[in-house]
Amino acid sequence: MKDHQIINVGKYMFGLCFALGNICLFGYLITKHVDFAIGGYLLLIFGTILNFLIVIGLLVYGLLHQAKLKVCLKTIGVMTINIPIAILYAAIGLNLN
């Protein structure tokens, strides 16, 4: 894979999880529908699993292709930006009631 393709994987996963998290949080804050809270909880579970699998895949790819290791680590760094955001959103969601 080319460097920009590897970086795009991280950017797309970051953007997807960030957008879905915003939809769940603000959907619940605006409408008070429990379905948004349930969706946010499921997003935390499945998003964590999916992101973890992608991180493992990137690490394995980077270790097998040493020239791509730096790009894979940069991509993993982009993806980890979602961790503090997810913690903040979870704290907000749990402290609403």
Side-chain angles (χ1 to χ4, degrees):
M1 287 185 359
K2 296 180 182 177
D3 290 355
H4 66 76
Q5 290 174 322
I6 296 171
I7 293 173
N8 283 342
V9 167
K11 286 181 182 178
Y12 291 142
M13 281 308 301
F14 168 80
L16 177 66
C17 291
F18 184 74
L20 290 175
N22 280 326
I23 290 169
C24 291
L25 177 67
F26 293 113
Y28 179 75
L29 290 175
I30 293 169
T31 66
K32 301 293 184 200
H33 285 255
V34 178
D35 294 336
F36 284 111
I38 294 169
Y41 181 70
L42 291 174
L43 176 64
L44 280 173
I45 294 170
F46 293 118
T48 300
I49 294 169
L50 181 62
N51 280 300
F52 183 71
L53 291 173
I54 292 172
V55 165
I56 296 298
L58 286 169
L59 283 174
V60 169
Y61 182 78
L63 291 173
L64 291 176
H65 303 280
Q66 286 291 319
K68 303 289 184 183
L69 181 61
K70 188 173 181 179
V71 175
C72 289
L73 293 176
K74 181 179 176 182
T75 302
I76 292 169
V78 169
M79 291 174 60
T80 58
I81 295 170
N82 267 333
I83 295 171
I85 296 169
I87 292 169
L88 175 67
Y89 283 13
I92 291 170
L94 291 172
N95 289 317
L96 286 175
N97 293 331

